Amino acid sequence: MDKIKNLLQQVSIISKKYDQIAKLTGENFNIFSLMNMEHNEVYTHSAIIGELLNPNGSHGQGAIFLNLFVEYIKECFNTEEHKIELDYFGTLVNDKICERTINIENNWDNVTGGRIDIIVEDNKQILLIENKIYAIDQPYQLIRYKNYAETKRSKKAFLFYLTLDGKDLKEKEDPYYTQDDVEIIGFNFKFDKKSEYENFRIQSNGKSNIHHCLYYPISFEKDIKNWIEKCLEKTHSLPIIRETLIQYLNLIKKLTNQTTNNIKTMEILEILKDNIDQSFEISRSIEPLKSKLYYDFFENILQYASKKEISADLSNLKNNAYFGLYLIPKEWNSKPYTIAVIFDTDHGYDYSGLYVSLNFNDNISDIEKISIQKKFDNIIPKFEINHANIWRDISNRDWANNSKIWEDVAKGKNGDTYKEIISTIEEIIEIEKS
């Protein structure tokens, strides 16, 4: 036990040292974090990337940033076997770079529709970027965009799948049946399978139910970070743009674990190497510690709910990819919706993606749903709205391996995470009542 205490003390000393460095450099101050906009794909990441790529953007620097992006992409995908044919852009045919809507509703007869996150188009080529931070992939998403691009006749089209770490799309989409009972089949080909893709196109030519796309995976971790760094080199005499890019670059590093914390980790590893038995003993205690803190935290929410005469459904507290609490205020007993405090994660126990929402039940009518949705329009801070629920992410949304958040969680009712969740629950109840 003394060895474990000594090890923890050494780690604590290193941790405090790097926390002090972050304090002195101001690394922890980030405007996007303060505004709870770190993970917002549309209004943070697509908006910034799209504005930089727009030659007519508010930065006033013409096509400099767009050209840097094209240069970087050509370098990344420039091998003898897989050379990308992307060219520099001429005059764009549309100044709207972000969130261009093809169709609000997907058209499954010709597999099109949706909203393209980022689109750059001139008279010869069209570049489309699907931006995914934490949102799940939608069915046939890049295929639908590729089919849209093909309506541009002779233009070359390039589809980029942007994620935090550059992950691949699944190769085969789930089959879909149209109203006429036609089976739609879709395939996503990664750029390094271009020859296979071309053969497949020839073989499936004339088969209207088979759809496909060729895409290029890129990441925030490497590609967007490197491009932003190249953009920074062009902004020495542009202080406002430069400071904005530095803030955004720091956000990218934070989301992809590339901050000072990584250096701290390497130093801690050297100490752990000399204390392997004790390190494993501590390691075995981490998940049980998280579990205890999690249940203690939600017990505090249950106590709040009981005090406010809010009933709770505990059946989903810890059993699948969407786990947490469902709450029904007393006055909602006969209403077709509930409040959820949920972790949205594909990994089950990863403690990430925490949000508070108003969830629609299956028996809600369209009129009731629209009426509720209208009440949440234009609320600041913003609520996200879709057909299934109305939600807002919690600032400390990704507990996972974030020790600072777990420290706050351990504070229970005195922690910022608890206070924000309770505040959001009460806000939802008040808005619904209005």
Side-chain angles (χ1 to χ4, degrees):
M1 186 61 71
D2 288 341
K3 286 185 176 181
I4 291 176
K5 286 182 178 179
N6 181 55
L7 178 58
L8 289 172
Q9 186 177 30
Q10 291 181 68
V11 171
S12 177
I13 290 170
I14 293 172
S15 183
K16 287 177 180 177
K17 178 180 75 173
Y18 282 98
D19 286 348
Q20 184 64 19
I21 291 173
K23 184 177 180 180
L24 292 172
T25 60
E27 182 182 285
N28 291 333
F29 179 84
N30 190 280
I31 192 66
F32 303 106
S33 302
L34 292 173
M35 296 168 62
N36 195 23
M37 297 285 284
E38 286 186 356
H39 312 97
N40 196 305
E41 293 170 0
V42 175
Y43 296 108
T44 298
H45 298 281
S46 291
I48 292 174
I49 294 169
E51 189 69 6
L52 289 172
L53 292 176
N54 190 347
N56 298 315
S58 56
H59 51 72
Q61 303 307 300
I64 288 177
F65 304 131
L66 174 58
N67 290 343
L68 286 172
F69 184 81
V70 172
E71 287 173 9
Y72 178 79
I73 291 297
K74 288 169 73 71
E75 289 174 6
C76 289
F77 300 100
N78 185 23
T79 66
E80 291 184 6
E81 297 177 351
H82 312 294
K83 186 174 183 179
I84 192 168
E85 298 175 353
L86 182 66
D87 295 321
Y88 291 104
F89 283 84
T91 303
L92 301 190
V93 300
N94 194 327
D95 281 348
K96 185 171 175 55
I97 299 289
C98 293
E99 281 285 282
R100 188 186 299 182
T101 301
I102 306 171
N103 290 307
I104 295 177
E105 297 294 333
N106 295 337
N107 183 336
W108 289 107
D109 291 331
N110 55 14
V111 192
T112 61
R115 292 183 176 90
I116 300 173
D117 289 330
I118 299 172
I119 178 168
V120 183
E121 179 184 1
D122 66 7
N123 290 322
K124 295 182 179 179
Q125 60 184 0
I126 181 169
L127 180 154
L128 305 98
I129 300 176
E130 174 56 28
N131 176 18
K132 292 289 185 189
I133 302 292
Y134 294 114
I136 62 173
D137 294 322
Q138 299 300 313
Y140 294 74
Q141 193 158 18
L142 264 67
I143 291 173
R144 285 186 273 116
Y145 300 164
K146 172 258 182 182
N147 288 344
Y148 164 76
E150 285 193 341
T151 65
K152 301 295 182 175
R153 304 297 179 184
S154 59
K155 291 184 182 181
K156 294 184 292 183
F158 303 93
L159 275 70
F160 293 90
Y161 181 56
L162 172 59
T163 60
L164 287 175
D165 57 2
K167 70 176 182 179
D168 297 341
L169 269 172
K170 69 177 182 180
E171 207 162 280
K172 185 177 180 180
E173 297 281 350
D174 296 331
Y176 179 88
Y177 290 88
T178 67
Q179 291 182 340
D180 298 327
D181 207 30
V182 175
E183 183 183 27
I184 302 296
I185 303 172
F187 296 88
N188 301 299
F189 287 83
K190 191 177 171 183
F191 77 97
D192 57 1
K193 294 185 177 180
K194 187 174 182 180
S195 58
E196 293 179 32
Y197 172 68
E198 295 299 340
N199 290 333
F200 185 82
R201 286 187 65 179
I202 294 171
Q203 293 171 9
S204 60
N205 187 36
K207 299 177 181 178
S208 60
N209 69 315
I210 298 179
H211 297 263
H212 42 70
C213 75
L214 182 74
Y215 75 96
Y216 297 82
I218 56 176
S219 71
F220 283 94
E221 182 178 32
K222 175 188 172 187
D223 303 306
I224 298 301
K225 180 183 82 71
N226 290 347
W227 170 57
I228 294 295
E229 288 173 344
K230 289 178 180 294
C231 292
L232 274 168
E233 294 173 4
K234 302 294 183 182
T235 60
H236 292 297
S237 59
L238 304 165
I240 294 177
I241 297 176
R242 181 173 179 79
E243 292 306 315
T244 302
L245 290 181
I246 289 173
Q247 285 276 297
Y248 186 54
L249 180 62
N250 286 340
L251 173 59
I252 291 172
K253 288 180 177 180
K254 179 180 179 181
L255 294 177
T256 56
N257 301 311
Q258 299 182 76
T259 59
T260 304
N261 283 332
N262 289 66
I263 304 172
K264 175 173 68 176
T265 299
M266 296 307 296
E267 192 168 332
I268 290 173
L269 284 176
E270 290 302 312
I271 294 176
L272 298 183
K273 279 169 58 179
D274 297 328
N275 299 271
I276 291 176
D277 284 345
Q278 291 75 29
S279 299
F280 273 85
E281 188 66 33
I282 294 170
S283 175
R284 285 190 289 270
S285 302
I286 296 300
E287 288 306 317
L289 173 62
K290 288 181 181 179
S291 184
K292 176 171 174 47
L293 291 173
Y294 168 80
Y295 281 111
D296 288 349
F297 182 85
F298 275 86
E299 178 60 33
N300 286 324
I301 296 178
L302 287 172
Q303 290 175 13
Y304 159 83
S306 176
K307 183 179 178 181
K308 295 290 185 178
E309 296 186 279
I310 298 174
S311 60
D313 177 358
L314 309 182
S315 61
N316 204 42
L317 196 56
K318 195 79 177 294
N319 64 356
N320 60 36
Y322 296 86
F323 60 88
L325 280 175
Y326 291 92
L327 305 170
I328 305 174
K330 184 179 180 180
E331 58 271 27
W332 288 20
N333 282 336
S334 60
K335 296 184 178 181
Y337 37 79
T338 59
I339 294 173
V341 184
I342 293 291
F343 285 98
D344 176 1
T345 168
D346 291 332
H347 306 295
Y349 304 131
D350 203 19
Y351 303 102
S352 62
L354 179 62
Y355 65 86
V356 180
S357 69
L358 182 153
N359 283 15
F360 298 121
N361 297 345
D362 292 338
N363 63 336
I364 190 170
S365 69
D366 289 340
I367 294 175
E368 286 178 294
K369 184 183 291 188
I370 292 170
S371 174
I372 292 295
Q373 288 172 333
K374 284 182 178 178
K375 292 182 180 182
F376 285 82
D377 280 343
N378 304 315
I379 297 294
I380 303 296
K382 180 181 172 62
F383 280 92
E384 302 294 335
I385 301 174
N386 66 18
H387 69 283
N389 53 22
I390 299 168
W391 79 97
R392 181 189 290 156
D393 288 338
I394 297 302
S395 299
N396 289 339
R397 74 188 298 273
D398 296 320
W399 299 9
N401 296 311
N402 190 320
S403 60
K404 298 299 182 186
I405 293 180
W406 284 107
E407 283 183 0
D408 183 72
V409 169
K411 295 176 183 176
K413 296 177 181 179
N414 296 317
D416 292 336
T417 307
Y418 174 85
K419 292 176 182 176
E420 183 178 353
I421 287 173
I422 298 304
S423 173
T424 306
I425 290 172
E426 292 178 345
E427 184 179 1
I428 288 173
I429 293 172
E430 286 302 313
I431 294 171
E432 187 274 342
K433 213 186 291 183
S434 64

